[in-house]
């Protein structure tokens, strides 16, 4: 009882925080809260942080099932499924995450801070080996899924085309949406029917990836030699950076944030209007976040940014990881209908194939990642599980479950560059074998 009295959430005493939570739930349920960014942020911060705190204190769940990150997302999904909040409130949260750009802001802040925190030489070495490791993960995922499909009677091609490819495709917008059109063009079937099935499949795949991320975190605790504790390459922990010695001011935080949002605008301009790849009608395009990672890597490697700017970017990253992760999960989960998960459970073999896809991605990245001196935990997490999750939001869930948010730049390379690679593979397999 004494411990509860001493508990604080977001700096508030627990009793006061519970009052705020009740107020926000009542207002959301009755559609009384503001339906703009202010209302959405208030609900996300208060309810999301509370659910995250609860999830991080549930025995077993906090260790093996992703803790507060997955818990807050699933409870938000339940709010949607069972209509626990009003339609206006739900639409406000969906808009805040989507067109308002809360998810984009979260990811760009983490990319900016994480890329600028890595030593320049280590950054070059890690990027050089990362794409081959992603390719190994894809090979492992498709290979094991095909093998399990053949054993279970589903069929190797069916398992790869219908299950493994969507899971490894980089999420919804840049993954299964264009894939559904490719499938329809190759088979003459209805794109919307393939998409509906694929959406349920990637939802289950994302849950499996989050669960395995939590297991990797546990593996790192049991076998410390297998993890860099948030660092991808062996030896990276021995490299000191000057930015860690900078004493941060409020102005530095503002500078770090400004750098991130300006660079994201530049990356978006390049992706949509300048990129040769994106305008060559190749059947796929490279996402803005991939160009964002490349731009930040160039700024790091050229060493033109002052140390206080790098430190400010890192400070903003730490703030968002600590205080904005749970609110983000509410806005991500509120668009989920839990009945979508049930669609995949019609045949146990389907679940086995999805799990085999996720595990195969881990096996492939483990083997090749070792060749490039990647820590097994971080290599499997970023090049493997962040390929097998639900895209940008899935990256947040997986890294959150593994407590390694500083790896966001590598996760985005997997989701975006890896996702583009999967579109090419999907186009070939759909056209050749279906």
């Amino acid at each position: 009882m004494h411990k509860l009295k001493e508990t604080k959430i977001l700096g508030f005493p627990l009793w006061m925080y519970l009052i705020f939570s009740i107020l926000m739930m009542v207002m959301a349920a009755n559609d009384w809260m503001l339906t703009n960014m202010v209302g959405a942020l208030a609900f996300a911060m208060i309810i999301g942080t509370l659910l995250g705190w609860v999830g991080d204190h549930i025995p077993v769940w906090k260790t093996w099932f992703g803790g507060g990150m997955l818990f807050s997302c699933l409870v938000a999904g339940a709010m949607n499924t069972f209509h626990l909040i009003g339609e206006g409130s739900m639409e406000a949260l969906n808009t805040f995450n989507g067109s308002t750009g809360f998810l984009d802001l979260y990811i760009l802040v983490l990319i900016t801070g994480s890329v600028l925190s890595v030593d320049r030489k280590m950054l070059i070495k890690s990027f050089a080996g990362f794409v081959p490791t992603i390719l190994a993960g894809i090979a492992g995922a498709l290979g094991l899924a095909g093998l399990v499909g053949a054993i279970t009677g589903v069929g190797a091609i069916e398992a790869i085309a219908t299950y493994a490819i969507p899971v490894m495709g980089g999420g919804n917008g840049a993954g299964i949406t264009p894939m559904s059109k490719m499938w329809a063009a190759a088979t003459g079937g209805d794109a919307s029917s393939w998409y509906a099935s694929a959406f349920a499949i990637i939802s289950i795949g994302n849950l499996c990836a989050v669960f395995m991320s939590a297991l990797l975190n546990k593996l790192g605790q049991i076998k410390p030699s297998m993890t860099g504790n948030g660092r991808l390459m062996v030896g990276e922990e021995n490299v000191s950076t000057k930015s860690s010695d900078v004493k941060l001011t409020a102005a530095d935080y503002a500078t770090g944030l400004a750098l991130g949002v300006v660079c994201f605008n530049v990356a978006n301009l390049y992706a949509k209007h300048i990129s040769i790849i994106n305008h060559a009608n190749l059947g796929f395009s490279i996402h803005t976040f991939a160009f964002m990672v490349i731009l930040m890597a160039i700024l790091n490697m050229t060493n033109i940014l002052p140390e206080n700017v790098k430190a400010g970017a890192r400070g903003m990253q730490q703030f968002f990881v600590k205080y904005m992760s749970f609110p983000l999960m509410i806005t991500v989960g509120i668009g989920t209908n839990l009945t979508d998960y049930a669609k995949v459970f019609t045949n146990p073999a389907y679940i086995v194939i999805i799990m085999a896809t996720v595990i195969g991605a881990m096996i492939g990245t483990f083997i090749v990642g070792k060749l490039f001196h990647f820590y097994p935990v971080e290599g499997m997490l970023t090049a493997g599980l962040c390929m097998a999750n639900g895209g940008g939001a899935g990256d947040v869930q997986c890294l959150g479950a593994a407590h390694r948010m500083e790896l966001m730049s590598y996760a985005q390379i997997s989701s975006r560059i890896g996702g583009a690679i999967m579109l090419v593979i999907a186009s070939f397999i759909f056209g050749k074998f279906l």
Side-chain angles (χ1 to χ4, degrees), residues 327-352:
L328 177 65
M329 285 299 97
I330 279 284
T331 66
V332 168
I334 208 70
T336 302
N337 193 313
L338 298 184
T339 58
D340 290 332
Y341 296 130
K343 297 176 183 177
V344 188
F345 287 93
T346 55
N347 188 333
Y350 300 159
I351 302 298
V352 176

Side-chain angles (χ1 to χ4, degrees), residues 107-126:
I107 293 176
L108 74 87
V109 166
L110 263 63
I111 288 175
T112 304
S114 61
V115 174
L116 295 181
S117 296
V118 180
D119 176 74
R120 290 180 295 156
K121 294 180 180 178
M122 284 290 182
L123 193 64
I124 296 171
K125 289 180 181 179
S126 63

Side-chain angles (χ1 to χ4, degrees), residues 414-434:
S414 291
S415 291
R416 309 311 176 182
I417 300 294
I421 293 171
M422 283 308 304
L423 289 180
V424 176
I425 294 173
S427 179
F428 172 75
I429 291 179
F430 292 166
K432 186 76 173 176
F433 299 103
L434 298 184

Side-chain angles (χ1 to χ4, degrees), residues 85-286:
I85 64 174
E87 290 185 9
S89 300
M90 196 170 347
E91 184 179 349
L93 289 164
N94 278 320
T95 301
F96 183 54
N97 180 62
S99 58
T100 301
F102 184 39
L103 176 60
D104 288 346
L105 178 64
Y106 183 94
I107 293 176
L108 74 87
V109 166
L110 263 63
I111 288 175
T112 304
S114 61
V115 174
L116 295 181
S117 296
V118 180
D119 176 74
R120 290 180 295 156
K121 294 180 180 178
M122 284 290 182
L123 193 64
I124 296 171
K125 289 180 181 179
S126 63
F127 279 178
F130 199 67
V131 172
T133 306
I134 289 175
L135 293 174
I138 293 172
L142 301 191
L144 190 57
L147 176 62
V148 172
I151 293 172
T152 57
V154 174
I157 296 300
E158 175 70 10
I160 292 172
T162 305
Y163 294 91
I165 284 179
V167 169
M168 299 296 288
N172 184 14
I176 61 172
T177 297
M179 280 182 186
S180 66
K181 297 175 183 177
M182 293 178 180
W183 181 87
T187 65
D190 181 14
S192 61
S193 64
W194 189 90
Y195 172 86
S197 173
F199 187 82
I201 289 166
I202 66 171
S203 298
I204 299 297
N206 187 68
L207 282 179
C208 291
V210 173
F211 176 66
M212 296 307 294
S213 298
L215 289 185
L216 284 181
N217 180 53
K218 193 65 178 177
L219 175 63
Q221 294 172 358
I222 297 172
K223 292 272 189 180
S225 61
M226 297 188 71
T227 178
N229 295 309
R231 300 176 180 88
L232 180 65
M233 291 200 71
V234 175
E236 190 178 335
E237 65 274 14
N238 298 322
V239 179
S240 60
T241 57
K242 294 179 182 178
S243 59
S244 61
D245 301 326
V246 175
K247 187 176 180 180
L248 283 172
T249 66
D252 292 327
Y253 281 94
T255 302
L257 178 61
L259 174 69
V261 294
V262 169
C263 286
F264 185 69
N265 274 273
V266 172
N268 182 66
L269 173 68
Y270 184 84
K272 291 185 175 179
H273 301 288
I274 301 174
S275 169
I276 296 174
I277 294 176
N278 286 359
H279 294 84
N281 295 318
L282 299 175
F284 68 92
S285 61
I286 304 299

Side-chain angles (χ1 to χ4, degrees), residues 36-53:
N36 58 14
M37 184 182 77
V38 177
L41 182 58
F43 184 87
M45 285 200 72
I46 296 299
I47 304 301
T49 303
L50 177 65
L51 293 175
W53 181 84

